[in-house]
Amino acid sequence: MSTRVLMVTRETGEDRRYGLGRSVLPLFEPMHALGVQARYFCQEDMPAAASGQRAQWSARIATLPGVRGRVSRQNLVNAWLERLQVGHAAARLATREGYTHVHAHDPWLACGVAWGLGMNAARIRWGFTQHGFGSYSHATHEDGLTQGPSAQAWLRRIERFLCARAGWVTAPTALSLQQLARDLGLPRAPAHWHHVPHARPALVAADAARKQQARQDLGYGADDIVVLAVGRLVPLKCFDHIVRACAGQPDARVRLLLLGGGPTEWIEALARELGFGDRLRIASAQDVGPYYHAADIYVSASATESFGMANLEALCAGLPAICSAVGGVPEVVGDAAWLVTNDVPTLTRSLAALAADAQLRDLWSRRGIERAASWPTAQEIAQRYVAIYQAA
């Protein structure tokens, strides 16, 4: 029987551009070459009536004692309903269409998958990837899904149970697995937990002609110093720190390019308040290559990262990178990026040093390219996953 894998995320189309789609989808072709069929399943594949049905469930639960009037608990319920619904639908699809494995991309989704598989769980193997740093309850709490101590303890018990039942648990950095074990009160990572990094992106460093063309297409001048930041426009990414650091630069040539999806009003208002509004651009694009190629410096100020895919993309693109030293970031970038504490004064000083010194930028650029060249390819990562599925 051939191996058929259903990859499941809770993402929408916009999330695919800057989220898991960037790391999952490139694996499908090399998996196919290894004889494994893979399909991506997300919210966009749900029936049209699914969101309305979930809204009805949410409205009913919101009237229950202990939930009524408690916004944080309602948000937590909604997050669980979403993931249970998507996971359950994916499991039913896997059962109908003869998939052998279901790979969920967070443990709450995996709970929906296990529920949907029911008696078929003995025939269809399932597991999940932990994309947050440490336990998923802690990661979602940091991402704005507020949970009190009792809710966190309850959610971690569920997560321990799921980790024990899953055929595999993976995380993109070894540091993430170590933190997950600590968060769940385990002495060490069990044997069916695996560290599988995201594959090396297809981005390459731009030569002079490609860089000039990219800057011309995006409307930047030859003397502009373009700072790039990439990711969802959410508080966790701390784009406000980057705006403040750029606005505090003595060099008026500094421009900031934010590449990401989400509400833009709050960051635009901050830039105007700081007198930086005319030097800020926010963009969203399917092809991110030209934006990396047009930039001179890359900055990430995230409060937490399990991996930091955009950081690796910056190294591949040959950009000198300043990254906050959080979560799994040090493991990914090694000594190829300037690791800093995540505060505005430090970001401001680091950015000023790179903006003022072309030779220093060139040094960090070469370090990044060397680091990226040694990173595992999509073919190598696909082989690791296929081995994990076969072992399960």
Side-chain angles (χ1 to χ4, degrees):
M1 183 178 182
S2 62
T3 301
R4 302 186 67 208
V5 181
L6 187 63
M7 294 277 192
V8 188
T9 83
R10 57 152 298 278
E11 292 189 316
T12 63
E14 185 67 26
D15 292 329
R16 287 194 198 192
R17 295 181 183 178
Y18 305 105
L20 297 178
R22 287 160 65 199
S23 60
V24 172
L25 293 174
L27 301 177
F28 285 10
E29 185 175 338
M31 281 187 177
H32 183 72
L34 294 168
V36 174
Q37 298 178 47
R39 175 178 169 181
Y40 190 92
F41 184 92
C42 68
Q43 287 203 56
E44 291 190 345
D45 300 304
M46 298 286 289
S51 60
Q53 185 181 47
R54 191 167 67 241
Q56 291 178 358
W57 295 340
S58 177
R60 291 173 186 169
I61 294 174
T63 65
L64 297 177
V67 179
R68 184 172 55 246
R70 305 286 290 274
V71 175
S72 62
R73 291 189 179 182
Q74 290 174 9
N75 290 339
L76 184 59
V77 166
N78 291 338
W80 264 93
L81 285 175
E82 175 192 74
R83 288 159 174 81
L84 288 174
Q85 186 185 43
V86 174
H88 185 273
R92 304 312 297 165
L93 173 69
T95 301
R96 288 194 308 271
E97 299 192 2
Y99 283 87
T100 58
H101 298 73
V102 181
H103 189 150
H105 282 270
D106 75 50
W108 299 356
L109 271 174
C111 191
V113 168
W115 169 41
L117 288 177
M119 296 298 293
N120 291 302
R123 181 170 58 87
I124 301 175
R125 302 302 181 187
W126 63 272
F128 62 89
T129 293
Q130 186 75 277
H131 289 285
F133 189 70
S135 74
Y136 197 65
S137 58
H138 181 70
T140 53
H141 177 76
E142 288 190 323
D143 204 15
L145 193 61
T146 305
Q147 302 148 37
S150 59
Q152 285 249 326
W154 179 70
L155 291 172
R156 290 187 188 193
R157 283 196 293 271
I158 294 175
E159 199 165 340
R160 276 196 298 269
F161 174 78
L162 290 168
C163 284
R165 293 291 300 274
W168 65 87
V169 176
T170 69
T173 59
L175 289 171
S176 296
L177 285 182
Q178 294 168 13
Q179 186 62 45
L180 177 61
R182 285 193 292 267
D183 285 354
L184 300 185
L186 302 176
R188 66 188 65 83
H192 69 294
W193 289 18
H194 308 277
H195 155 225
V196 184
H198 299 314
R200 183 172 73 222
L203 277 169
V204 296
D207 56 23
R210 181 180 290 179
K211 188 176 186 68
Q212 181 181 7
Q213 186 62 55
R215 291 171 77 91
Q216 182 178 322
D217 291 344
L218 295 178
Y220 289 112
D223 292 333
D224 290 336
I225 299 174
V226 182
V227 178
L228 175 68
V230 181
R232 294 177 298 127
L233 299 177
V234 294
L236 185 70
K237 299 297 184 180
C238 299
F239 285 119
D240 56 325
H241 290 193
I242 299 175
V243 171
R244 293 182 185 278
C246 288
Q249 294 304 305
D251 194 332
R253 297 175 300 164
V254 170
R255 304 287 186 268
L256 176 58
L257 174 57
L258 297 184
L259 185 59
T264 63
E265 295 80 9
W266 65 281
I267 202 74
E268 291 170 335
L270 175 62
R272 287 193 300 269
E273 176 189 327
L274 297 171
F276 193 74
D278 61 339
R279 290 189 278 161
L280 168 68
R281 175 185 297 181
I282 303 175
S284 178
Q286 191 68 40
D287 181 11
V288 300
Y291 295 87
Y292 282 95
H293 293 155
D296 297 292
I297 301 169
Y298 168 84
V299 179
S300 171
S302 291
T304 183
E305 288 282 2
S306 176
F307 184 89
M309 189 64 175
N311 299 343
L312 182 57
E313 288 177 337
L315 302 188
C316 291
L319 283 179
I322 300 171
C323 300
S324 52
V326 296
V329 171
E331 181 179 327
V332 174
V333 302
D335 62 356
W338 193 340
L339 292 170
V340 299
T341 55
N342 187 14
D343 61 82
V344 174
T346 302
L347 288 171
T348 303
R349 290 192 299 270
S350 304
L351 185 55
L354 282 178
D357 192 336
Q359 289 186 335
L360 186 60
R361 294 199 298 272
D362 183 61
L363 168 66
W364 285 106
S365 172
R366 284 185 277 108
R367 283 190 178 187
I369 292 171
E370 290 172 3
R371 177 79 173 179
S374 66
W375 201 261
T377 64
Q379 290 75 17
E380 292 170 314
I381 299 304
Q383 289 173 351
R384 293 195 199 184
Y385 274 122
V386 171
I388 289 169
Y389 300 146
Q390 291 173 344

